[in-house]
Amino acid sequence: MKKIHIALIVLIAILLGVIISTVSESGTYVSFKTATEKPDRTYHIIGKVNLQKEFIYNPEKDANVFGFFMTDTIGTEKRVLYNGTKPQDFELAERIVVVGKMKGDDFIASQVLMKCPSKYNKTGEEEGGEWSNGSQRPQ
Amino acid sequence: MGIQYLNEHLMFGKIGNAFVVLSFTASIVAMLSYAFQVYRNEEESLSWNKLARFSFFIHACSVFGIISLLFYLIQSHYFEYYYVWQHSSTTLPEKYMWACLWEGQEGSFLIWTVWHVVLSILLVWKGKKWEAPTMMFIMMIQVFLASMLLGLQFGDIKIGSNPFILLRNHPDFANLPFIHLPDYLAKLKDGRGLNPLLQNYWMVIHPPTLFLGFAATAIPFAFAMGGLVTRQYREWVKPALPWTFFGIAILGIGILMGGAWAYEALSFGGFWAWDPVENASLVPWITLVGGAHVMLIYKKNGTSLFTAVMLLAVTFILVLYSTFLTRSGILGETSVHAFTNLGMTGQLLLYMLFFIVLTIVLLIVHRKAISNPTEDEALSSREFWMFMGMLVLLISAIQITFTTSIPVINKVFGLKMAPPVDAIDFYNSWQTPLAAIIALLIAVSQFFKWKQSDWKSVAKKLALSFIIALVVTIVFQISVGFARVQHIILFMTSLWAILANLDYLIRVLKGKFNFSGGSVAHIGIGLILLGALVSNAKKEIISENRLNVDLGKDFPNKENILLYQGDTLAMGEYYVTYKGKEKEGIHQYYEVEYLKANHNAGGFTKEFSLKPFIQLNERMGNVSEPATRHFLHKDIYTHVTYAEMDNKNQVDEKGYKEPKKHLLAVGDTIVVSNSLFVLLEIDKAVDKKANALNENDIALGLKLKVTDINKKDYFIEPLFIIRGNEKITVPAEIEKLGLKFDFTSIDTQANKFEVSLSEKKSNSRDFIIMKALIFPGINILWIGCVLMFVGTWIAIRKQISDLKREA
């Protein structure tokens, strides 16, 4: 057996590791309902910000908690508490993705991804915006 | 007769469109002529070459024509052209005009095409017998790229997106009434402008460099494929090597420029965030580096040819894949800066699949001719360890690609996987050990001789650098220290890589400049790894908010801190003051002063001041940009993460802001900016005389105790009165605290009472929420970049001089 064959076998083994670890570490897009059922797991939730309800942000009390109400894709609304500052132009976000877990009746988010509208897009296409990162987690 | 529009400059668009069509057709003719030159006999090939060169000349002229015209249109602010309107504006500073050119997809395809043409000119001029076989493939690539600009619509199928489309013909505008007025241009006023996030000098230099790097990967690919079709299976490697190194140098610098941009201007909080778009350009670089090393093995040893061809093809296809990822909109939900979808997903996919199939077919047809001889490489040979290095690079590339491709995997298999929750940590946990192995191989490989070497002498030569690296690591670990074992290992191995290469340069090469390319570039890589490790792992958040109430493990992030104007807070070894803000154009600057305590005289001395800013842009949204103070050994990064923009809160004539409503039950306490108040009890027997009320009034009072920060108590009683059908409130005011309490409503069911509290505006001082980070040793990384670049250029020179010597 050539050494190259051994190397190839090791390579394939590591590749399997890559696939398995990625799949097992990968998040899942769910609704608030699923997240409520499994409060110990971290999920990605896509939804819309309820702009009718007031944002909760008292930087003078705590600069690192920003709260808002969000409706997921099937229509459940929950309060989201994001561990960070209020992202720039959060009011303009059309759709957002929050990453975190449920605690009681609140969703505790460690990351918030916003999709801002391209304001001149008259057709209102789905893809007509750019995503920007609202969260800067320490690495 | 249609509408006569005023002030349009349609001539340029017509010429532009002619160039677009011409560049496409000329690239087809050039590709076919070069193919005929390759496949036909000697005499005929000469006349094919003439036609090929002529059509390449036409193609080149058209491509330069398109880019010059488009630039001219942007310069002249001809907003009748959609591209100009979409990506530029009259208010944009001159220096960013180039950036408008490649902000959009069409422009970025264009700059890519231009670079292919520029590199092709070199191939035509210097390529000799390689001109036809390589140009045949380059022109094939150009056919696809030129088609991206065609902008033809056949029913649902769209071929390309034309940069010269008129605003009034664009689907977003065609149905708007004002667009059909003859003077619609006068109503348009200004273009949408360049995204403020991209108004940065990096936007001027980073994309063209990256695209030159992308274009450079096509050349070695064309050599490899050209070598196959002309059955010059072995000869292509040497002339392709300088191009491969050129691609490594340029693409590498392009990627790192992106990192520098992210570090300096974008608020990523670091130079690398494993963003899908960053990853998509890094992966082809990794495989190209792998390819170059295998080509070197082949040049010395005659083995691994198949692997070399495969890696160059993989690199080129990964470049196409990266274009597909960033431009098809498929990354949508996972990336910070993906392009928007222009409906060209199908075309991009076809482009990629075409080259995948072409490569596979050629590899299968010619597999026997390029397969390895059966002899095994010795464990003590340099080529064996280089090959291992290539495999580790391949694993790294696959891990990054696989994780980045989650949205694609979802699409293909109909899954709903999301990226890993902590993506950065996930990538780091894979890539750190892989980087450590690479560093180890960089350290040891060159001390092995080709074919076979004596283990003892290798060990002897490596001993010195190993011992130094070990001692430094131990000292560093004791004095500064890493928390994770993999960081200690990467520190040690990258340090060893640097020292071993330095040692090799001095003791083995004896400083011979021409041969130093590899060592210098490897020292560069070692420094990049070391700098990335130290600046990341030893990053320190000095703005940590220690005063906050601990919110528990659900809220671990405390890196943002509130700073009132004039207040001074301790951050790390500094004291930080927010001095105030000033507006300059569309930038709102915040002056943050860093002070040091003066122990002898008392008080503080100013060290430096930083001015992070928020760009105010009504159309695209506000963008905040950090400011960084650079030192030799560390950078201090300061970022305003939140600030109250202008004075949204209107004040009344007495200076009170909009009231805030609080619903309380008896006993509840509420905290406000300068005090707290408690609802003591409900006063049901309000003294009507003292309050000048009518006898028939129904009155309720709220007995409130307000305590200010000096623990001084105030007792007040706002009233709620029902007079007939009317509701009257009598607010209570505390002048001294600038507070006004109004009893506005009663919730009888919950037995709760609503207090509307107004505060004087003068109560709230201006503040910013900021974060400050220290990145130690980031300069090690930048020095590494320069050395990597310089080393690779020395290697290019060496390869070219080798070529000349043989010729």
Side-chain angles (χ1 to χ4, degrees):
Chain A
M1 198 182 198
K2 291 208 294 180
K3 282 178 216 74
I4 189 74
H5 291 148
I6 301 168
L8 281 175
I9 290 166
V10 173
L11 183 74
I12 290 165
I14 295 174
L15 289 188
L16 280 174
V18 167
I19 294 171
I20 292 165
S21 82
T22 309
V23 171
S24 66
E25 288 276 324
S26 77
T28 335
Y29 292 110
V30 298
S31 61
F32 281 126
K33 191 167 167 278
T34 322
T36 314
E37 283 158 11
K38 285 182 183 163
D40 48 336
R41 270 199 61 183
T42 306
Y43 287 110
H44 289 60
I45 297 177
I46 305 176
K48 274 188 177 148
V49 178
N50 184 342
L51 295 170
Q52 252 62 57
K53 293 198 178 164
E54 220 178 318
F55 298 141
I56 308 143
Y57 191 51
N58 292 314
E60 295 168 59
K61 224 169 99 195
D62 195 319
N64 293 303
V65 180
F66 169 60
F68 57 91
F69 287 86
M70 171 179 145
T71 314
D72 68 11
T73 42
I74 54 168
T76 320
E77 187 180 276
K78 289 281 177 211
R79 190 169 76 163
V80 179
L81 295 178
Y82 164 52
N83 188 195
T85 53
K86 177 172 172 274
Q88 294 277 349
D89 290 307
F90 191 72
E91 296 82 357
L92 303 176
E94 262 177 1
R95 273 206 311 165
I96 62 165
V97 179
V98 291
V99 183
K101 47 175 93 167
M102 286 301 291
K103 188 177 187 188
D105 213 29
D106 292 332
F107 188 80
I108 311 292
S110 57
Q111 296 169 52
V112 171
L113 276 165
M114 310 170 12
K115 182 168 188 167
C116 292
S118 69
K119 283 164 222 168
Y120 289 83
N121 195 337
K122 304 293 186 297
T123 49
E125 277 174 285
E126 274 285 275
E127 292 83 8
E130 283 165 46
W131 285 91
S132 70
N133 199 334
S135 72
Q136 272 87 45
R137 283 289 311 279
Q139 286 162 34
Chain B
M1 198 57 207
I3 311 160
Q4 287 294 320
Y5 294 102
L6 302 173
N7 297 323
E8 286 188 333
H9 307 80
L10 298 184
M11 195 56 195
F12 298 107
K14 283 178 185 153
I15 301 172
N17 276 317
F19 278 145
V20 168
V21 175
L22 202 58
S23 85
F24 177 66
T25 40
S27 63
I28 295 179
V29 178
M31 172 188 77
L32 292 175
S33 320
Y34 274 123
F36 278 118
Q37 188 191 345
V38 168
Y39 286 110
R40 289 304 170 106
N41 58 42
E42 202 98 334
E43 318 143 45
E44 259 187 78
S45 78
L46 202 67
S47 53
W48 281 118
N49 182 252
K50 274 186 187 154
L51 179 60
R53 284 185 169 193
F54 175 73
S55 42
F56 169 68
F57 177 74
I58 299 291
H59 173 72
C61 290
S62 330
V63 168
F64 287 126
I66 299 170
I67 197 163
S68 320
L69 260 176
L70 196 58
F71 187 63
Y72 177 75
L73 294 179
I74 290 172
Q75 277 279 350
S76 315
H77 306 299
Y78 290 162
F79 295 129
E80 56 267 44
Y81 294 97
Y82 182 76
Y83 196 85
V84 178
W85 173 84
Q86 196 185 19
H87 300 291
S88 74
S89 62
T90 52
T91 51
L92 195 69
E94 186 71 16
K95 56 186 172 188
Y96 299 131
M97 286 299 165
W98 283 102
C100 303
L101 197 57
W102 42 73
E103 191 201 26
Q105 285 204 31
E106 297 87 342
S108 66
F109 279 122
L110 190 57
I111 181 77
W112 194 3
T113 315
V114 167
W115 285 129
H116 277 145
V117 169
V118 171
L119 298 180
S120 300
I121 292 172
L122 273 171
L123 281 179
V124 173
W125 182 28
K126 294 273 185 189
K128 298 193 185 90
K129 70 168 180 173
W130 288 105
E131 178 193 339
T134 53
M135 284 299 288
M136 174 179 140
F137 285 95
I138 300 288
M139 283 300 123
M140 203 181 285
I141 298 166
Q142 288 298 79
V143 171
F144 279 96
L145 281 181
S147 78
M148 296 287 175
L149 299 178
L150 281 177
L152 298 174
Q153 190 90 35
F154 299 106
D156 281 346
I157 301 164
K158 186 180 166 194
I159 300 179
S161 177
N162 190 313
F164 296 106
I165 188 171
L166 291 175
L167 187 76
R168 57 183 157 91
N169 292 339
H170 193 272
D172 286 357
F173 279 89
N175 298 323
L176 298 177
F178 89 94
I179 217 82
H180 301 295
L181 300 173
D183 61 340
Y184 77 98
L185 274 177
K187 299 194 188 308
L188 208 56
K189 288 195 184 77
D190 204 356
R192 191 174 67 154
L194 186 67
N195 187 337
L197 203 64
L198 305 177
Q199 289 181 24
N200 190 290
Y201 66 96
W202 288 110
M203 182 62 188
V204 182
I205 57 174
H206 164 61
T209 312
L210 196 65
F211 278 110
L212 177 58
F214 279 174
T217 64
I219 314 284
F221 169 73
F223 267 102
M225 294 297 120
L228 293 185
V229 295
T230 55
R231 295 177 195 279
Q232 305 181 70
Y233 299 118
R234 285 145 212 290
E235 293 87 338
W236 66 270
V237 176
K238 284 178 191 173
L241 261 169
W243 287 105
T244 314
F245 282 122
F246 174 74
I248 292 173
I250 301 293
L251 189 56
I253 281 299
I255 295 164
L256 289 162
M257 275 181 181
W261 181 7
Y263 175 69
E264 195 184 282
L266 310 177
S267 42
F268 286 14
F271 67 93
W272 197 259
W274 296 108
D275 182 88
V277 178
E278 291 178 316
N279 296 348
S281 55
L282 174 66
V283 172
W285 183 82
I286 293 176
T287 55
L288 190 63
V289 170
H293 284 82
V294 178
M295 284 163 81
L296 286 177
I297 295 178
Y298 178 76
K299 188 184 170 190
K300 284 286 176 193
N301 207 15
T303 56
S304 312
L305 186 59
F306 185 88
T307 320
V309 177
M310 204 189 67
L311 281 171
L312 293 180
V314 163
T315 301
F316 176 69
I317 288 162
L318 280 170
V319 166
L320 299 183
Y321 182 62
S322 121
T323 331
F324 167 73
L325 281 183
T326 47
R327 270 145 239 267
S328 62
I330 198 162
L331 288 179
E333 283 159 23
T334 57
S335 168
V336 178
H337 51 337
F339 283 85
T340 52
N341 186 359
L342 278 187
M344 295 199 292
T345 313
Q347 204 179 348
L348 287 163
L349 211 55
L350 183 75
Y351 186 10
M352 196 168 66
L353 288 177
F354 175 84
F355 282 99
I356 292 175
V357 171
L358 179 78
T359 310
I360 292 175
V361 168
L362 285 178
L363 276 175
I364 291 174
V365 171
H366 298 278
R367 70 184 183 284
K368 287 221 174 93
I370 54 171
S371 290
N372 264 349
T374 44
E375 64 184 281
D376 198 4
E377 284 147 345
L379 211 58
S380 64
S381 71
R382 187 186 290 186
E383 52 269 40
F384 177 80
W385 294 106
M386 280 170 78
F387 200 84
M388 287 300 119
M390 183 277 296
L391 285 180
V392 179
L393 286 175
L394 205 58
I395 293 169
S396 154
I398 291 170
Q399 194 272 329
I400 301 171
T401 309
F402 191 80
T403 312
T404 309
S405 300
I406 284 178
V408 181
I409 297 166
N410 283 347
K411 202 100 186 187
V412 174
F413 297 102
L415 300 173
K416 275 185 108 183
M417 275 198 290
V421 170
D422 196 340
I424 292 174
D425 199 53
F426 180 68
Y427 281 110
N428 284 344
S429 69
W430 270 96
Q431 297 296 326
T432 312
L434 290 175
I437 301 174
I438 289 290
L440 192 70
L441 291 170
I442 289 176
V444 301
S445 292
Q446 61 203 330
F447 289 92
F448 289 96
K449 290 197 171 72
W450 296 101
K451 305 276 186 199
Q452 200 157 18
S453 28
D454 175 32
W455 285 100
K456 262 190 190 154
S457 89
V458 171
K460 233 165 101 184
K461 284 179 198 155
L462 277 166
L464 178 67
S465 53
F466 177 78
I467 290 167
I468 300 176
L470 185 68
V471 170
V472 174
T473 307
I474 292 170
V475 171
F476 188 86
Q477 186 57 28
I478 292 168
S479 59
V480 184
F482 287 109
R484 291 192 187 183
V485 179
Q486 49 168 303
H487 290 161
I488 306 170
I489 293 170
L490 182 58
F491 184 85
M492 157 102 195
T493 50
S494 52
L495 196 63
W496 191 18
I498 297 162
L499 294 170
N501 276 280
L502 199 63
D503 191 19
Y504 190 79
L505 193 61
I506 297 166
R507 288 203 298 181
V508 181
L509 294 176
K510 306 216 163 23
K512 272 181 245 154
F513 180 78
N514 281 342
F515 292 87
S516 67
S519 301
V520 174
H522 284 135
I523 292 173
I525 296 290
L527 289 169
I528 290 175
L529 292 176
L530 192 70
L533 169 71
V534 173
S535 69
N536 232 320
K538 298 310 292 175
K539 177 174 82 178
E540 194 190 342
I541 301 164
I542 55 171
S543 60
E544 197 147 324
N545 203 341
R546 294 178 194 84
L547 300 170
N548 280 356
V549 193
D550 192 5
L551 291 161
K553 63 177 169 49
D554 294 322
F555 295 95
N557 175 5
K558 292 188 183 63
E559 65 191 26
N560 299 290
I561 197 160
L562 174 100
L563 200 53
Y564 284 109
Q565 186 168 359
D567 276 5
T568 306
L569 284 179
M571 292 192 201
E573 52 173 326
Y574 297 98
Y575 290 87
V576 180
T577 302
Y578 166 40
K579 297 286 281 183
K581 58 183 172 191
E582 56 181 317
K583 210 171 157 187
E584 246 183 73
I586 52 166
H587 291 166
Q588 177 87 62
Y589 287 94
Y590 298 88
E591 192 184 349
V592 178
E593 208 168 79
Y594 281 75
L595 314 158
K596 269 198 176 158
N598 197 334
H599 293 296
N600 300 328
F604 298 106
T605 39
K606 179 180 167 184
E607 289 284 305
F608 56 90
S609 93
L610 289 172
K611 285 187 176 176
F613 64 85
I614 293 180
Q615 185 176 46
L616 312 166
N617 191 316
E618 284 171 22
R619 284 182 295 179
M620 319 279 287
N622 296 337
V623 179
S624 142
E625 195 170 310
T628 304
R629 170 78 179 183
H630 303 276
F631 291 97
L632 211 56
H633 63 294
K634 68 175 179 192
D635 278 7
I636 297 177
Y637 167 102
T638 305
H639 187 46
V640 172
T641 45
Y642 178 83
E644 292 211 309
M645 301 316 293
D646 40 72
N647 302 314
K648 268 181 246 160
N649 299 328
Q650 293 294 319
V651 290
D652 66 10
E653 66 276 8
K654 284 180 84 178
Y656 283 110
K657 291 194 290 188
E658 290 256 308
K660 252 200 186 132
K661 289 176 177 165
H662 303 276
L663 207 57
L664 350 161
V666 175
D668 285 357
T669 306
I670 300 281
V671 182
V672 296
S673 69
N674 57 4
S675 48
L676 54 87
F677 69 91
V678 194
L679 173 54
L680 298 174
E681 59 173 312
I682 312 299
D683 182 7
K684 287 175 183 158
V686 177
D687 186 344
K688 285 177 184 165
K689 264 204 188 119
N691 290 297
L693 300 179
N694 295 346
E695 209 43 49
N696 298 332
D697 291 350
I698 304 165
L700 267 186
L702 290 184
K703 289 202 161 162
L704 300 173
K705 183 176 91 171
V706 183
T707 313
D708 73 5
I709 34 176
N710 300 321
K711 297 267 160 69
K712 188 171 165 13
D713 290 338
Y714 301 81
F715 293 92
I716 50 160
E717 190 177 336
L719 302 178
F720 186 92
I721 299 148
I722 295 166
R723 180 176 292 167
N725 294 327
E726 229 182 321
K727 183 187 96 178
I728 303 171
T729 63
V730 181
E733 210 176 324
I734 306 173
E735 267 314 327
K736 226 175 164 184
L737 299 180
L739 297 173
K740 185 167 77 177
F741 297 84
D742 200 1
F743 181 10
T744 41
S745 157
I746 304 169
D747 183 345
T748 44
Q749 280 182 346
N751 211 14
K752 280 192 172 178
F753 308 89
E754 186 188 82
V755 172
S756 294
L757 174 65
S758 314
E759 284 194 60
K760 277 215 169 136
K761 192 174 161 9
S762 48
N763 276 12
S764 53
R765 288 147 73 198
D766 191 26
F767 66 86
I768 52 171
I769 307 290
M770 59 163 277
K771 71 175 166 190
L773 309 178
I774 291 182
F775 290 101
I778 189 112
N779 280 338
I780 302 174
L781 181 114
W782 306 132
I783 294 168
C785 298
V786 174
L787 286 182
M788 192 268 288
F789 190 75
V790 171
T792 318
W793 274 101
I794 300 171
I796 296 173
R797 270 186 40 154
K798 165 84 165 49
Q799 296 300 335
I800 293 177
S801 77
D802 280 5
L803 266 179
K804 281 189 182 148
R805 202 163 350 106
E806 277 168 39

